[in-house]
Amino acid sequence: MPMPWHRMTHTTSVVPEGLDELVPSQLDVLEAQLDRQESAMTGRFSNASTRAAVLIGASAALGGTELVTSSGNPIISTFSLLLYLLAAVCGLVAMRSTLTKQPDLTRIMTEYAVAKTVSMRQSLLGSRLDSIEVSRVRLLHRHRWLVVGFALLVCAWIASGAGTIYGLANPTEVPPTVINIEGGLP
């Protein structure tokens, strides 16, 4: 389900329902859990970027090999190269950088100064909760691109193998290279 603010870089300072009823000790627990989730999310984004780089590199290396050692069938070779290219594109899309939502501190401070009933801490926690949700959705999209990319990479590798088997089963005769040396040797 797409979020209406998926392109926003700042969150609003709206306090989620129930957050304003928590006592300070409960807010401490919530903040500690948010710290853990944000740390885990950072690690997951890093892992997804690493996988995307591996996908791009493997697609380039295997696609380059296919280009140099293409099989005897140009249709199979072209299909394999196209799959390698699509796998690399999936890796690039998964690796693209996006800004995560961050609390708009100026807005929160301004609203806190005007509305004494809303705690700044609660407002920041609400913004962090929004940010975690946006990051989760973005990570899910990256994961989907990576799954599709690796599936395409496997299909390209299979097509490349099929082209190699086709080339071995249907060898083409290549005329020998003849080198003519003109003139006499000294």
Side-chain angles (χ1 to χ4, degrees):
M1 177 173 121
M3 300 294 165
W5 28 256
H6 72 284
R7 296 226 180 252
M8 291 174 54
T9 58
H10 289 86
T11 62
T12 61
S13 58
V14 175
V15 177
E17 188 175 325
L19 191 61
D20 56 348
E21 298 170 8
L22 298 179
V23 295
S25 63
Q26 292 172 318
L27 291 175
D28 291 340
V29 172
L30 181 60
E31 282 177 327
Q33 181 60 31
L34 277 172
D35 289 341
R36 284 190 289 279
Q37 285 184 1
E38 288 167 346
S39 177
M41 193 68 65
T42 300
R44 288 183 188 119
F45 270 104
S46 177
N47 290 341
S49 293
T50 300
R51 288 186 195 108
V54 167
L55 177 61
I56 294 166
S59 298
L62 294 173
T65 303
E66 176 67 24
L67 192 59
V68 172
T69 62
S70 62
S71 66
N73 188 326
I75 294 173
I76 294 175
S77 290
T78 303
F79 181 66
S80 176
L81 285 171
L82 178 65
L83 290 174
Y84 283 125
L85 178 65
L86 290 175
V89 167
C90 286
L92 288 170
V93 170
M95 188 178 254
R96 81 178 191 276
S97 173
T98 55
L99 295 175
T100 355
K101 289 176 60 172
Q102 297 296 320
D104 185 350
L105 297 178
T106 305
R107 173 185 273 162
I108 290 172
M109 287 187 301
T110 304
E111 289 176 7
Y112 178 70
V114 174
K116 299 290 185 187
T117 59
V118 178
S119 162
M120 184 182 297
R121 185 177 186 193
Q122 292 167 332
S123 185
L124 283 171
L125 283 172
S127 295
R128 287 175 68 191
L129 288 168
D130 282 349
S131 181
I132 285 285
E133 179 59 24
V134 170
S135 294
R136 188 191 65 75
V137 169
R138 286 183 178 163
L139 188 62
L140 182 63
H141 289 300
R142 279 188 182 194
H143 174 73
R144 288 179 182 156
W145 278 105
L146 288 171
V147 167
V148 169
F150 278 110
L152 287 169
L153 182 64
V154 169
C155 290
W157 184 70
I158 291 170
S160 186
T164 301
I165 292 170
Y166 177 85
L168 292 173
N170 302 307
T172 57
E173 290 188 30
V174 178
T177 304
V178 178
I179 301 174
N180 293 324
I181 300 174
E182 294 183 17
L185 294 174

